[in-house]
Every structure is written in structure tokens, then in C-alpha cells.
Amino acid sequence: MQFGIFTVGDVTVDPTTGRLPSERDRIKAMTTIALKAEEVGLDVFATGEHHNPPFVPSSPTTMLGWIAARTERLLLSTSTTLITTNDPVKIAEDYAMLQHLADGRVDLMMGRGNTGPVYPWFGQDIRNGIPLAIENYDLLHRLWREDVVDWKGKFRTPLQSFTSTPRPLDGLPPFVWHGSIRSPEIAEQAAYYGDGFFANHIFWPKEHTQRMVGLYRRRWAHYGHGTPEQAIVGLGGQVFMRRNSQDAVREFRPYFDNAPVYGHGPSLEEFTRETPLTVGSPQQVIDRTLGFRDYVGDYQRQLFLMDHAGLPLKTVLEQLDLLGEEVVPVLRKEFDSMRPAHVPEAPTHASLLAAREATTTTEEEKR
């Protein structure tokens, strides 16, 4: 099972000091956090994509390329690649380039984002959100798998005898997750292609996540990719830890109360009760996270949101130490012991390459 962190890259005032980091400070902090993730033994660093204040990660491949050059093992991903407002040709070429530079340590998560105005900024209509996601990904899927593409659709100009460059590393496209908070159409899309489905899982009650993952698993099996239990599922999560749970609640409360997303709404206690947000000790995080399996089944990737709401970099790095030293080793051991043999691990470039080579060998032996 893969464990990691994802960032939304918000630039937010620290409510305890009144300090607002500069965009440069925030960008540098995100890269420091990524390097720390590898240092403490995490598997994945994922960045969002935003094109509006107060967010800074408008160019994920630039950031991930920088991180790739300074890491050896960390898997680089996105927590949203805007499939609706990015040109599929540009996505195909940008992430194939990153794949080569990172020696295959790349996958990405397709999503529609949560900022309505981004659509007209990039010449699109938000009312076409789902059709754009479907059409654009169909084209991207082909661009990575066909050397020469002839294509015609509704939302962009046709392609004639087009080849995207560079071609995917070893002829294997990056593995794709489809991320969603609320859209069953995206779960259906992930199932149709046999891709992974990532449930954001940080705002909604567990019953909602259970229904979305259950739909994806059933449709995955319907399309002939395997049993429902073999579908590739990822979950988001949100934690704040101190060794003493009372200290965690006391320290995190002002950040929660003033957070741009959920501040000035439900209380911290209400939110932790009704959603997967966990504020407490490392053991509480372990227990809560292990409980996710009870309603989504065995899954392959767990990403935590830890650097948001104005939390200072020093605090986030302390959180990563706790996550890497006290939480993830226990979670890894427990999840691995519970996972049946027929449930696959999360795909990586290496595992996909090995599977293709094994299939080729088997076919040659049959001939």
C-alpha cells in the first residue's frame, strides 16, 4: 500500500501570528515538504493544480520536475490535473516528458477542480464540465497509446495524423487516477478504462465515500477488469497530530476555525465526528485510518492533507516526522497483513513494465 501527502498549495494567513507567506515562500515550502516526505519514508507526493489566488501550484510539472531531480524514490503525482480546462495534447506531452525525467516515478490524478471561474479563463463553459472530462480524457488516453492519432470531437479542433512527443517511457503511459468528491460519472469513467479511482474523502461523511467507491468497484467488474475487490482505490485524509491529543486539538483549532475552505462553519468537534478529519494523537490517527477499510474495502493508496490553513512550515515538518516515524509503519504493517492475496498493490511504472514483460513471455511460450 502506498502512503503519502497531497497539497492544495494555498497561501493563507497564519491566524496565530497574522503572518501571510509570500508566493515564493509557499512554493519553496511545498518543495521542502516533498523532500521531507521522501526523508521520512513516505511513498507519494502529490500537488494540486490551481489558477487563482490564494493558490500557487499553477504548473505541477514544473514543481514535480524540480522535486524529481532531488529525490530518488518518491513517486510524483498530482492531486488534480484539470482534464476539463487543459488541452489533452499538452497534458500528454508534459507528463510524458516528466515521466522520462523522473525515470517513471510519475502518475497523475484527473479531476475537474473546484473553482468555477477557471472554465472561462481557459475558454470553456462550466456547464460542459462532465462532457469535457469525458471527451478530453478519451483523447488523452489515445494519445498515450497510439503513435498516430486521427481524432474529432466537440470541444477542440480535430487532429490528423498527430503524434504527441515524447512518447511515454517504455511505451507505458503514466498510471491515471480519476479523482472526485461527488460525481458518479467520474467513478464510471475510471471503471470504464480500468484506471484508479481516488475519493477525496476529506469533506463528506463516510457513507458518501462508501457509495462512490462501491459504484466504482461494481462498474470496474462490469467492464471486465477483474473482481470488485481488485479495483484500484485511493483515499484522501486529513490529520493533525501531537503526542497528546488535547495539545493537538488546542493547537489546530485556530487554523480550523479560520481555514478558507471550512472555517466559520461547523465546529472542529462536529467536523471530526462527521468527516474523516482526525485531530489527536498518532494512535488516534492509526485507529481512524485503519477504520477506512471497514467501509471501502482493501485499497491501494492513502494520501494525507497536512500543509494548509496557514500552518507554518516548521509545524508541517513536525507532522511529517510523526507520520513517517509513528503512523505509517504501523498502518503499512496492519494493512498489508489484512490484504488478501488476490487484491493487487497500487500500480507503478516498474510493476506495469514487469506485468507487460510477463505477458509477452507467456505469449511467446504459447507460440
Side-chain angles (χ1 to χ4, degrees), residues 73-257:
R73 184 188 52 81
L74 194 65
L75 183 59
L76 309 170
S77 188
T78 56
S79 49
T80 305
T81 295
L82 297 177
I83 189 63
T84 46
T85 51
N86 279 310
D87 183 358
V89 173
K90 196 72 169 73
I91 295 176
E93 297 188 334
D94 282 354
Y95 284 92
M97 176 71 79
L98 177 62
Q99 191 190 32
H100 283 272
L101 290 171
D103 297 323
R105 293 184 290 126
V106 175
D107 61 29
L108 64 164
M109 186 192 307
M110 301 298 168
R112 290 182 294 139
N114 57 11
T115 306
V118 73
Y119 285 83
W121 294 341
F122 288 87
Q124 300 295 349
D125 186 332
I126 193 173
R127 292 170 293 184
N128 295 327
I130 292 293
L132 276 164
I134 293 171
E135 180 177 296
N136 283 355
Y137 185 64
D138 173 69
L139 175 54
L140 175 62
H141 192 267
R142 289 186 57 190
L143 289 168
W144 273 337
R145 289 163 176 82
E146 301 175 26
D147 289 339
V148 180
V149 173
D150 292 299
W151 179 90
K152 184 177 182 180
K154 179 179 179 181
F155 298 109
R156 77 175 314 281
T157 54
L159 297 174
Q160 294 182 340
S161 301
F162 179 77
T163 300
S164 67
T165 59
R167 305 303 297 144
L169 179 65
D170 299 319
L172 283 173
F175 184 75
V176 168
W177 303 79
H178 298 258
S180 180
I181 297 176
R182 61 191 178 275
S183 302
E185 296 92 341
I186 302 305
E188 174 77 15
Q189 184 182 42
Y192 176 81
Y193 288 101
D195 295 336
F197 179 66
F198 189 92
N200 184 279
H201 199 226
I202 64 173
F203 298 125
W204 292 67
K206 64 181 183 181
E207 292 80 9
H208 173 77
T209 299
Q210 183 179 36
R211 288 192 294 270
M212 291 286 284
V213 173
L215 170 64
Y216 162 68
R217 290 188 184 278
R218 291 191 300 274
R219 298 303 290 172
W220 161 285
H222 168 80
Y223 288 116
H225 302 300
T227 67
E229 295 77 19
Q230 293 174 312
I232 308 299
V233 174
L235 294 182
Q238 201 170 350
V239 300
F240 186 87
M241 294 175 286
R242 289 302 184 197
R243 287 190 166 82
N244 180 290
S245 60
Q246 289 81 9
D247 291 339
V249 171
R250 181 169 52 254
E251 184 176 348
F252 187 64
R253 188 182 299 279
Y255 295 97
F256 176 88
D257 289 346

Side-chain angles (χ1 to χ4, degrees), residues 57-80:
S58 59
S59 180
T61 52
T62 303
M63 173 174 286
L64 295 178
W66 188 97
I67 296 167
R70 289 157 178 82
T71 55
E72 297 180 355
R73 184 188 52 81
L74 194 65
L75 183 59
L76 309 170
S77 188
T78 56
S79 49
T80 305

Side-chain angles (χ1 to χ4, degrees), residues 279-296:
V279 181
S281 67
Q283 188 60 52
Q284 287 174 302
V285 172
I286 290 168
D287 293 341
R288 190 80 177 278
T289 306
L290 288 173
F292 297 166
R293 181 178 178 271
D294 295 339
Y295 53 91
V296 301

